[in-house]
Amino acid sequence: MTPRAIAIEDPQDLRIAPYTAVRERDLTGRGDRFLVEGKVTLEVLAQRSRFPIESVFVAAHRLAAVAGILAQLPAQVPVYTAPRARFEAIAGFPIHRGVLACARKLPPPKLGALCAAPRLLVAFGLSNHDNVGALFRNAAALGADAVLLDDQSCDPLYRKAIRVSAGTALWLPFHHGARRSACLDALARSGHTVWALTPRASAASIWDVRAPAKLALMVGAEGPGLPPAVLAAATPVRVPLSGGVDSLNVATAAAIAMARAFASPGTASR
């Protein structure tokens, strides 16, 4: 056992209350708190996250694997531990990674402040946590300065979204919860050109358009995509497809578009 680990003997111990019934509380929400799961996200939380850590809960058999990360945490952050069976009974299901941490949310940046960044990824209506997590990972890797999600998109600080994002949702700036009209107004005021990704054949190929210095790349939910009113307020662009395939996963399509538009803004078309 690491010197700072506090053994939990009683599953009803109030100190580990944030970690009880994890799946059920994922659905109902935790107010201004959220959980991260796994060694990778714990390391990001310890080293790069802008969100304050409240506590860590680690299964005993995983303590040695994360000891180096735990040593980086502020001294006031408690580290709790329990044998694997008790850890999973508290969580309510088998958590194979054996690592959880609780952090506190912060107020999101103002829309205007976030839109000061030149390269934005905008998501409307994304309710799938895997897609949101993948979008964040791609955005962080491919040059987006920030992510804007409307009030119809799921929370990027949901445990699974954070895990799929490889922890990038913990440090990449984002604003979540604004109405679409407010998002579009903020982008117009900030002087962004808005490209709306769509599979429509009438849209310009992503390879045939010049990326401006201030660009917001917008994606919608798989299936319905972006609504006509949103497409009308933007420049529709598409990723050309072949082989009879009519669309791509939203995170994949966004990755291709960001690699084209954000890696070298202002370059000539192919």
Side-chain angles (χ1 to χ4, degrees):
M1 182 178 295
T2 59
R4 69 179 298 178
I6 302 167
I8 297 297
E9 305 294 340
D10 181 4
Q12 303 303 315
D13 192 320
L14 293 179
R15 293 175 296 180
I16 46 84
Y19 303 103
T20 59
V22 169
R23 281 180 170 167
E24 291 82 355
R25 295 172 71 183
D26 278 348
L27 298 175
T28 59
R30 294 182 177 80
D32 63 351
R33 292 178 173 86
F34 64 94
L35 294 187
V36 302
E37 175 188 353
K39 181 179 178 181
V40 170
T41 51
L42 177 63
E43 186 169 23
V44 176
L45 191 64
Q47 296 178 355
R48 198 172 183 184
S49 171
R50 67 183 182 277
F51 300 101
I53 311 171
E54 289 199 339
S55 64
V56 180
F57 188 29
V58 183
H61 71 286
R62 294 288 289 152
L63 278 172
V66 297
I69 302 172
L70 298 178
Q72 301 174 47
L73 297 176
Q76 69 272 20
V77 175
V79 177
Y80 304 115
T81 188
R84 181 172 185 168
R86 188 178 305 145
F87 176 91
E88 293 182 347
I90 291 167
F93 71 105
I95 297 182
H96 303 297
R97 294 167 182 84
V99 177
L100 291 170
C102 181
R104 187 176 291 275
K105 294 180 180 179
L106 296 173
K110 300 293 185 181
L111 270 178
L114 183 141
C115 289
R119 298 172 297 183
L120 301 176
L121 177 62
V122 183
F124 284 176
L126 263 64
S127 59
N128 183 289
H129 294 97
D130 294 275
N131 283 338
V132 168
L135 276 176
F136 267 81
R137 187 172 186 175
N138 293 343
L142 295 170
D145 298 307
V147 180
L148 175 57
L149 305 104
D150 72 343
D151 57 354
Q152 301 302 307
S153 296
C154 62
D155 187 355
L157 295 180
Y158 179 87
R159 177 176 54 92
K160 189 175 184 182
I162 295 172
R163 191 178 73 232
V164 174
S165 82
T168 56
L170 298 173
W171 59 264
L172 185 66
F174 69 85
H175 186 286
H176 172 245
R179 295 177 63 86
R180 294 177 185 179
S181 57
C183 298
L184 293 172
D185 288 346
L187 292 171
R189 288 193 301 270
S190 62
H192 282 81
T193 298
V194 181
W195 286 0
L197 273 181
T198 174
R200 293 184 179 182
S202 58
S205 166
I206 193 75
W207 307 113
D208 295 333
V209 287
R210 185 183 297 271
K214 296 192 73 173
L215 175 64
L217 184 65
M218 185 180 297
V219 297
E222 291 187 32
L226 291 166
V230 172
L231 287 172
T235 300
V237 297
R238 62 184 173 87
V239 176
L241 303 176
S242 60
V245 178
D246 63 358
S247 64
L248 293 171
N249 169 270
V250 63
T252 301
I256 294 170
M258 286 187 289
R260 163 62 179 148
F262 290 166
S264 53
T267 57
S269 59
R270 188 177 63 180

